[in-house]
Amino acid sequence: RSLVSTVLLPLLFAPTVLFGDEPPSVDFAHDVLPVLRKRCASCHTNGTYKGGFSLDTRETLLKTEGIVPGKPDESEMIARVLSDDPDLRMPPEGDRLTKEEVGLLRRWIDADAPWQSGLSFARTSYVPPLAPRDVVLPAVSDGRANPVDRIVDAYFAEYEIARPEPLGDAAFLRRVSLDLVGLLPTNERLAAFENGQRPNKRELLVEELLASDRRYAEHWLTFWNDLLRNDYVGTGYIDGGRKQITGWLFQSLLENKPYDQFVRELVSPTPASEGFVKGIKWRGNVNASQVREIQFAQNVGQVFLGVNLKCASCHDSFIDGWQLEDAYGLAAVIADKPLEIHRCDKPTGEMAKPAFPFRELGDVDANAPKAERLARTAELLVSPRNGRLARTVVNRLWDRLMGRGIVHPVDVMSNEPWSEDLIDFLAADLVAHDYDLKRTLTLITTSSVYQSRSVVLAEEPPATDFVFRGPHVKRMTAEQYLDNVWRVTSTFPKGTARGTNFGDRGDEPVRASLVVADPLMRSLGRPNREQVVTTRPAELSTLEALDLGNGEIVAGLLARGAANVRREQAERSPAELAEWVFRRTLQRDPTPEETVVAVELAGDPTTDAGVADLLWAVFSLPEFQLVR
């Protein structure tokens, strides 16, 4: 690998690979937040910023230099809470922080100061609407008639933002293929698209990709497996405390089941779809906030409504207005017997009454059998008066395609969107077209703004006061990365996960979404799905970098793959092989300098080891791993 690291990588690697730390173990919501709220918030939040120190958000905390993540001894917060100087000490009056509280803050800062997603101490006057809202579309500008463009163009004009530059054909083909079916185009498809002369060839490409039902289903299975915490092995499967919904989910995606029907069948389930609402029955004693009934409330609220009921499953929420009775009211819908409310894991003696979180939509009859209560809850979820359901799912799709939601984070739908008109239009359009998710994907991907170059961000945009300037760069998922490595190198795994045999696949190789995760897939970011996962890590972890650069699984893949590539491309010269690899993986020709180095790596004549080095170098590029 020495030639790779000294010759090819400095030439090709862009400085966009970010190394993040492993997730911290400190519990911010339950341990740190109460201390900040009780001891610090009155002087340093919501317009009161004594000493110029703001705790409104993590971003303001860093900007006002209150802490140095990972370095408690260099953090002003720690210095102030320990100081005896009456002009510096915090809090300035009353009891000092206890030794335990100071130690907790130190451990929190040492763990890089994790923060509750969406939390801000600053109050907002924004109240998200529940009812659907009709949007009057702005006038067409410069012939950009797609409704998404009409709204975004008016937004750009209002904020005096220049439209991002359009993508070329090859870059668009790469992006939309990865986004809609998860696969890179073949060299033949790339050449045909670049040479195509039809003026509507991009719209036809989107139509073609979405009509590829199996590829679409196998790609989006990853998205929905994460959201619905569906997996093939893991906690609960050994003793029957958990049930797959894979067959039902795959068929639903294959036939593009209307989203309202999709939700109905999950919440008021059939035997094939009941694994989601039943959650996981954990072995042994668990906290009251993790019993199956509460899991139902948390998961339904998060997935379909963008509501965080996790804090409210233990006590009244610290971060929003949801209360303990809201979480228990939804939990009681699925309870087989009276459900006692627990506050901070202690029984209160009160019994929960079945209720929908947005009670203005209707009631759930506490005396009805469980099946009827679930059916009523599903009816309220998909009610035409419940605009939150459609807003939540179109926001998730926008986030997946554009790199950031219209509302951010995607699980805090009470936050203000950067464009109310855009999210309300997409939501209303989804409902008006029979909840057809492919219709929403078509609207977005055929827009000029989707087909624009990604914006370059110097830092993570703030959760509030965000200004949209264009698409953001996304990382390939673990499944996308492996699917495409397998295809380029013809190194497909054999078989699929238990319970996921969907019949004759013809010439289609197995997809990563159908395979039990191995250690490489885990390090690439595939979660264990014991919890709902709505977004995967945006940065490259140290473990992932090590596995991609030096791991046994990658080394084995490339050793086999190099032999396959040499055999399948035997008629090509080393320079022609380099061109084939670049077009197959990056959808572009190599530069003359890249060709020289690639040939030096592959050898002339080529060798298995040399081609493996070339493949390793290209697969390691941010240009390959990112969806730009």
Side-chain angles (χ1 to χ4, degrees):
R1 299 279 186 229
S2 59
L3 186 60
V4 176
S5 60
T6 58
V7 178
L8 187 61
L9 300 190
L11 178 65
L12 298 182
F13 263 66
T16 54
V17 179
L18 304 175
F19 292 84
D21 293 324
E22 296 304 310
S25 58
V26 65
D27 189 335
F28 175 79
H30 290 89
D31 298 331
V32 179
L33 184 57
V35 175
L36 298 180
R37 188 182 295 277
K38 177 182 178 182
R39 310 305 301 272
C40 311
S42 61
C43 293
H44 302 288
T45 65
N46 199 45
T48 301
Y49 307 117
K50 293 185 178 180
F53 175 43
S54 171
L55 262 171
D56 278 348
T57 65
R58 188 178 190 275
E59 290 83 3
T60 61
L61 180 58
L62 296 177
K63 189 176 293 186
T64 55
E65 300 181 350
I67 63 169
V68 180
K71 299 179 180 180
D73 291 330
E74 299 179 22
S75 296
E76 185 72 9
M77 175 186 284
I78 299 301
R80 293 292 189 98
V81 298
L82 293 176
S83 176
D84 291 324
D85 187 330
D87 294 326
L88 296 177
R89 58 168 281 185
M90 293 196 305
E93 299 176 353
D95 294 337
R96 307 300 302 275
L97 267 67
T98 66
K99 181 179 179 181
E100 290 74 19
E101 289 172 328
V102 174
L104 182 63
L105 293 179
R106 290 181 63 89
R107 294 198 306 275
W108 170 60
I109 296 171
D110 191 53
D112 274 356
W115 194 268
Q116 181 79 34
S117 178
L119 169 66
S120 174
F121 284 101
R123 298 188 188 96
T124 176
S125 58
Y126 177 74
V127 178
L130 180 61
R133 186 174 73 94
D134 291 330
V135 174
V136 178
L137 290 174
V140 175
S141 175
D142 299 328
R144 291 154 62 107
N146 183 304
V148 171
D149 289 320
R150 292 170 67 175
I151 295 171
V152 173
D153 284 348
Y155 175 91
F156 284 160
E158 178 184 355
Y159 284 87
E160 300 181 340
I161 296 170
R163 294 171 183 166
E165 292 295 317
L167 285 175
D169 280 346
F172 169 71
L173 174 63
R174 185 180 204 276
R175 179 190 289 177
V176 76
S177 297
L178 286 171
D179 279 346
L180 295 185
V181 297
L183 300 174
L184 293 170
T186 64
N187 290 16
E188 294 74 21
R189 187 70 185 88
L190 174 61
F193 190 71
E194 287 182 311
N195 295 326
Q197 299 301 313
R198 301 180 73 172
N200 63 337
K201 66 179 183 180
R202 294 193 177 191
E203 289 78 8
L204 292 174
L205 173 63
V206 169
E207 183 180 334
E208 173 193 324
L209 291 170
L210 289 175
S212 180
D213 294 334
R214 181 175 285 274
R215 289 187 171 191
Y216 168 85
E218 290 174 340
H219 170 56
W220 286 92
L221 188 65
T222 292
F223 174 85
W224 287 105
N225 274 343
D226 284 4
L227 269 175
L228 302 177
R229 61 193 247 178
N230 180 59
D231 216 331
Y232 315 129
V233 295
T235 301
Y237 287 122
I238 295 174
D239 56 5
R242 186 179 182 186
K243 184 177 180 181
Q244 279 194 51
I245 61 169
T246 310
W248 173 89
L249 177 57
F250 185 84
Q251 186 61 38
S252 297
L253 296 173
L254 195 66
E255 65 190 44
N256 191 31
K257 183 173 291 179
Y259 187 61
D260 59 339
Q261 182 182 346
F262 181 91
V263 172
R264 279 183 185 275
E265 291 181 18
L266 282 168
V267 177
S268 179
T270 67
S273 63
E274 65 183 0
F276 170 68
V277 296
K278 286 191 171 182
I280 298 173
K281 183 177 182 180
W282 300 91
R283 288 200 242 179
N285 295 325
V286 297
N287 185 288
S289 65
Q290 280 303 302
V291 298
R292 273 184 156 180
E293 295 85 353
I294 293 292
Q295 290 178 43
F296 169 83
Q298 293 170 349
N299 297 340
V300 168
Q302 181 178 0
V303 173
F304 302 123
L305 299 170
V307 166
N308 180 357
L309 292 178
K310 291 184 178 179
C311 280
S313 300
C314 188
H315 43 68
D316 292 345
S317 178
F318 291 139
I319 63 174
D320 52 37
W322 295 105
Q323 298 182 338
L324 191 62
E325 67 175 19
D326 296 315
Y328 269 88
L330 189 52
V333 167
I334 201 172
D336 290 311
K337 57 185 180 181
L339 181 64
E340 184 176 10
I341 297 175
H342 286 63
R343 183 177 296 276
C344 295
D345 211 30
K346 296 180 179 178
T348 64
E350 299 178 40
M351 296 299 168
K353 298 178 180 179
F356 192 69
F358 296 104
R359 302 189 183 194
E360 58 266 47
L361 292 176
D363 299 323
V364 178
D365 184 356
N367 297 316
K370 182 173 75 171
E372 292 182 18
R373 299 196 303 267
L374 287 169
R376 174 60 173 164
T377 301
E379 178 186 354
L380 295 173
L381 267 173
V382 303
S383 166
R385 296 190 297 127
N386 181 16
R388 178 64 73 89
L389 177 77
R391 287 192 195 97
T392 299
V393 73
V394 299
N395 189 58
R396 294 195 190 283
L397 296 182
W398 182 275
D399 175 78
R400 186 68 213 131
L401 296 174
M402 302 293 280
R404 182 186 173 102
I406 305 168
V407 176
H408 179 83
V410 292
D411 291 331
V412 189
M413 289 299 292
S414 57
N415 281 353
E416 187 170 5
W418 57 261
S419 172
E420 279 190 287
D421 281 353
L422 181 58
I423 194 167
D424 285 341
F425 169 78
L426 289 173
D429 186 85
L430 175 69
V431 176
H433 291 86
D434 299 321
Y435 291 87
D436 182 354
L437 295 180
K438 284 189 178 182
R439 155 81 183 187
T440 303
L441 295 173
T442 300
L443 263 180
I444 297 172
T445 55
T446 56
S447 69
S448 295
V449 70
Y450 171 84
Q451 298 175 26
S452 301
R453 292 182 182 275
S454 300
V455 297
V456 177
L457 303 174
E459 58 185 13
E460 173 66 17
T464 56
D465 300 323
F466 169 75
V467 176
F468 176 74
R469 298 179 185 276
H472 291 191
V473 174
K474 311 182 291 286
R475 286 183 60 202
M476 281 186 180
T477 63
E479 291 84 349
Q480 285 174 307
Y481 179 88
L482 286 171
D483 276 339
N484 289 292
V485 169
W486 292 343
R487 272 173 163 69
V488 172
T489 60
S490 299
T491 51
F492 308 105
K494 296 180 180 179
T496 57
R498 292 192 300 274
T500 62
N501 181 7
F502 301 120
D504 182 18
R505 299 178 49 81
D507 296 330
E508 281 287 303
V510 68
R511 295 287 293 271
S513 62
L514 299 174
V515 176
V516 172
D518 62 14
L520 175 61
M521 211 178 295
R522 292 289 189 213
S523 74
L524 288 171
R526 177 160 155 176
N528 62 20
R529 295 170 178 149
E530 292 173 2
Q531 301 292 331
V532 167
V533 177
T534 56
T535 53
R536 294 192 184 181
E539 297 181 351
L540 185 70
S541 70
T542 303
L543 176 60
E544 181 178 352
L546 291 173
D547 274 348
L548 290 176
N550 225 8
E552 290 184 7
I553 296 177
V554 172
L557 277 175
L558 296 184
R560 300 193 307 276
N564 293 339
V565 168
R566 285 188 69 220
R567 182 181 66 255
E568 294 166 4
Q569 307 299 326
E571 76 285 357
R572 300 182 188 274
S573 69
E576 291 171 335
L577 176 63
E579 179 184 351
W580 181 88
V581 168
F582 270 68
R583 288 183 66 80
R584 185 69 181 87
T585 57
L586 307 178
Q587 286 63 62
R588 67 171 176 85
D589 293 323
T591 65
E593 294 82 4
E594 289 169 338
T595 299
V596 169
V597 178
V599 170
E600 187 175 355
L601 279 170
D604 190 3
T606 61
T607 65
D608 284 356
V611 173
D613 279 349
L614 172 59
L615 293 171
W616 175 80
V618 173
F619 290 147
S620 297
L621 291 174
E623 187 179 355
F624 176 76
Q625 297 178 23
L626 299 177
V627 184
R628 295 181 178 272

